[in-house]
Amino acid sequence: MKQNYFISAGEFSGDLLAAELVSEIRKLDPHLHPLGITGPALRKEGVQSLLDIQNLAVMGISDVLKRISQIRMIEQRILQQIDQMKPKFAILVDYPGFHLRIAEQLKMRGIPAVQYIAPKAWAWGSGRVKKIRRDYDLVLGMLPFEEEFYKSAGVNYTYVGSPVMDRMDAFLETQNHDRKIHSSVIGCFPGSRDSEVKAMLPLFLDLREQFSPDTKLVISVAENIGWKHVCELLPELKLGRRVQGSDPILSYFNEVYEYRDMWFVVGQSFEIMFQSSVALVTSGTATLECALIGAPQVVVYKTQGLTFAIAKALLKVKYASLPNLILDREVLKEFLQDFQMSKVLEEAKRILQNIDYRQKMLGDYLAMRAKLKSGAASTGAQLIVNRYKVH
C-alpha cells in the first residue's frame, strides 16, 4: 500500500536537489509516493505535480510585494490539496520565505516537516531560528559551519553533505582532464532568475571590447530561462543567431547563439565553468560550483535597490559567496550592487595574468573542498525513510 508524502521545490535549483532526494528515497522505500510543487526534474522523477514552480517565480522585495496576494492564494490552494492528500510527512526544499509559512501550517495539521537545505538563519540573525525550531521536525543542511549554530539553538539539525559536490564530482568524471579546448575563455553566469538576468546581462554584454579578440566570452543561459525568454528580457539579443561549427570549443556545447562575437550557451553551465579561464558569477550556488570544478572566479552581483538595501541592513555575515563563507576568509573578490565594472575587469585580468594569484585561489578551493562531504541525497533519504518508514 502506497503512502503519500509532500515535496516542494520553490525554484529551479531546488527542483534539481529535490529530484535527487526523491530518487534516493524511492530506492529505500518504493511504497512512498511523492506529490507536490514541481519543476521539470521532479516531474521527470515521477512526482505528481500539484503546482509548477513557475507560479512561485519571484525575486526581490518589490516582486514579492506586487504578488503577495497571489502567493497567499497559492499557499491556500496547496494547503487545501494537502488536506485532501493527507501526506505522511513533507519535505520542503530550500526557498525559505515561502516554506517557513507552509511549515507552520503543516505543524498545525500534525504533519511533520523536513527542511532539506537549511535556511540561512545564521545570516539573518536569530529571529527565524525560533520558527525553525518550533515548526520543523528535522532540518538537513549542506554547509558544515551551520551545525554548531543550529544545534546550539535546539534545532534537530544534521549536516548531510553537499549535493553540489556530488553533482560536480559526477560531472568531472565525464570530462577529459586535459581540460582547456580554448586558451582563454571568460565565462559569465548571470543567474537563473529573471531579475538577476535583467540586472546582470547588460553589464556582461559590455565586456566584449575590454578583452582581446582571441578571448572568447561565453554567457550561460539557465535552462529554466532558455534563449527565447532571455530575448524577451533583453530584446537586443533577438539579433543573435544560432551557430554550429567544427571549432572544437563550439562543438563542445549543444545549443549556442552568437551575438556581437559572444556565445550564449543554453543549459550547460558546468561545461562553461569547466572551460573558463576565469568566471564572472552572480548566484550563490554557482560560486560553489565554480570552486568545486576549479574555475577561478570573481563574484559580481546586482539586484533591485530596495531588495539590496533591506538585505544589507539585516544580514549578519561578512561575505556573500559560499567559498568565502565556508573558509571564513576572502577567497574570492566580491563586487556587490554599487561597483565599478572597471574594478571587476581589473580582478579578472589579474586572475588571467598572475599565475601565483591564480594558483592561490585554486589552492583555497582544495581547502574548501576538504571541509565538505559527499552523499547528501543518499544520507538525507536514509534519515527521512528511517524516521517516517511505512513498513
Side-chain angles (χ1 to χ4, degrees):
M1 180 177 171
K2 290 190 175 183
Q3 175 68 58
N4 290 331
Y5 72 95
F6 177 79
I7 187 160
S8 173
E11 57 188 341
F12 182 67
S13 58
D15 182 49
L16 297 174
L17 295 168
E20 292 164 353
L21 187 63
V22 166
S23 176
E24 293 297 325
I25 290 173
R26 185 178 290 113
K27 292 175 188 175
L28 296 171
D29 192 342
H31 296 97
L32 287 169
H33 173 65
L35 48 88
I37 301 175
T38 67
L42 277 173
R43 289 192 292 274
K44 188 175 179 181
E45 276 298 327
V47 178
Q48 181 181 339
S49 184
L50 304 181
L51 185 77
D52 191 286
I53 57 173
Q54 291 294 339
N55 291 278
L56 296 175
V58 295
M59 174 63 178
I61 301 297
S62 60
D63 284 348
V64 173
L65 292 175
K66 287 175 191 172
R67 292 189 55 200
I68 195 161
S69 61
Q70 183 183 354
I71 292 169
R72 291 286 186 261
M73 287 176 64
I74 288 171
E75 289 174 8
Q76 290 306 310
R77 174 183 160 193
I78 287 298
L79 290 168
Q80 287 170 3
Q81 291 174 308
I82 285 173
D83 290 339
Q84 293 172 2
M85 299 291 186
K86 295 183 170 49
K88 185 177 180 67
F89 60 92
I91 304 172
L92 309 178
V93 183
D94 208 0
Y95 212 62
F98 179 77
H99 284 150
L100 280 167
R101 292 191 300 274
I102 296 295
E104 182 177 12
Q105 292 297 318
L106 291 168
K107 176 78 171 179
M108 292 169 62
R109 288 162 168 77
I111 299 169
V114 178
Q115 179 69 32
Y116 184 62
I117 311 307
K120 296 178 178 64
W122 40 267
W124 295 93
S126 59
R128 276 186 172 180
V129 78
K130 295 174 184 176
K131 286 174 60 65
I132 293 166
R133 181 177 61 236
R134 182 193 69 198
D135 295 333
Y136 284 103
D137 188 52
L138 181 63
V139 175
L140 306 177
M142 62 171 280
L143 297 171
F145 61 82
E146 295 175 329
E147 192 159 24
E148 182 180 352
F149 170 84
Y150 273 113
K151 288 193 171 179
S152 66
V155 175
N156 185 18
Y157 173 98
T158 301
Y159 168 53
V160 293
S162 171
V164 178
M165 186 160 81
D166 294 328
R167 208 175 295 146
M168 290 301 102
D169 288 348
F171 169 77
L172 288 169
E173 287 178 6
T174 69
Q175 300 303 299
N176 176 351
H177 286 267
D178 291 341
R179 187 175 187 117
K180 298 296 179 189
I181 299 174
H182 192 283
S183 60
S184 187
V185 171
I186 309 296
C188 301
F189 299 86
S192 60
R193 301 181 178 107
D194 285 5
S195 56
E196 292 173 336
V197 172
K198 286 165 73 174
M200 294 307 304
L201 257 187
L203 299 178
F204 291 153
L205 290 179
D206 288 339
L207 292 176
R208 173 65 274 175
E209 61 193 41
Q210 304 296 328
F211 291 95
S212 62
D214 62 344
T215 299
K216 179 55 67 178
L217 267 73
V218 182
I219 298 177
S220 174
V221 177
E223 190 173 6
N224 65 300
I225 292 181
W227 179 250
K228 182 178 178 181
H229 186 51
V230 90
C231 289
E232 293 169 354
L233 296 174
L234 207 67
E236 67 180 279
L237 293 179
K238 292 177 182 178
L239 297 173
R241 61 185 182 88
R242 186 161 184 177
V243 290
Q244 294 175 309
S246 57
D247 182 313
I249 190 168
L250 190 56
S251 61
Y252 182 70
F253 300 119
N254 298 328
E255 185 180 349
V256 186
Y257 298 85
E258 188 171 43
Y259 173 71
R260 283 171 44 189
D261 199 31
M262 291 176 284
W263 286 346
F264 292 76
V265 176
V266 178
Q268 289 183 280
S269 60
F270 298 170
E271 285 83 355
I272 301 171
M273 291 172 188
F274 189 72
Q275 291 299 324
S276 291
S277 305
V278 62
L280 306 181
V281 187
T282 294
S283 70
T285 302
T287 63
L288 182 57
E289 291 169 346
C290 278
L292 290 168
I293 220 163
Q297 62 183 302
V298 187
V299 178
V300 191
Y301 186 80
K302 193 175 182 68
T303 188
Q304 298 162 349
L306 177 60
T307 300
F308 187 82
I310 293 173
K312 188 176 180 181
L314 296 176
L315 283 171
K316 311 294 182 185
V317 289
K318 292 184 287 185
Y319 304 111
S321 62
L322 287 171
N324 288 352
L325 286 165
I326 291 167
L327 288 180
D328 195 26
R329 56 186 171 84
E330 186 181 74
V331 176
L332 319 171
K333 294 288 185 187
E334 298 179 351
F335 297 89
L336 309 176
Q337 197 65 9
D338 297 315
F339 56 84
Q340 295 178 329
M341 205 61 186
S342 60
K343 297 292 185 183
V344 176
L345 287 165
E346 185 180 302
E347 176 66 10
K349 288 177 179 178
R350 185 182 182 191
I351 291 170
L352 287 170
Q353 296 164 6
N354 187 325
I355 294 174
D356 291 340
Y357 186 66
R358 181 188 184 87
Q359 288 303 122
K360 182 182 183 305
M361 186 178 292
L362 295 175
D364 286 338
Y365 285 174
L366 294 176
M368 182 209 71
R369 177 182 272 274
K371 288 182 172 288
L372 303 175
K373 68 181 182 182
S374 58
S378 58
T379 302
Q382 189 71 64
L383 288 167
I384 291 167
V385 169
N386 287 349
R387 197 169 184 86
Y388 310 114
K389 66 182 83 174
V390 176
H391 301 285

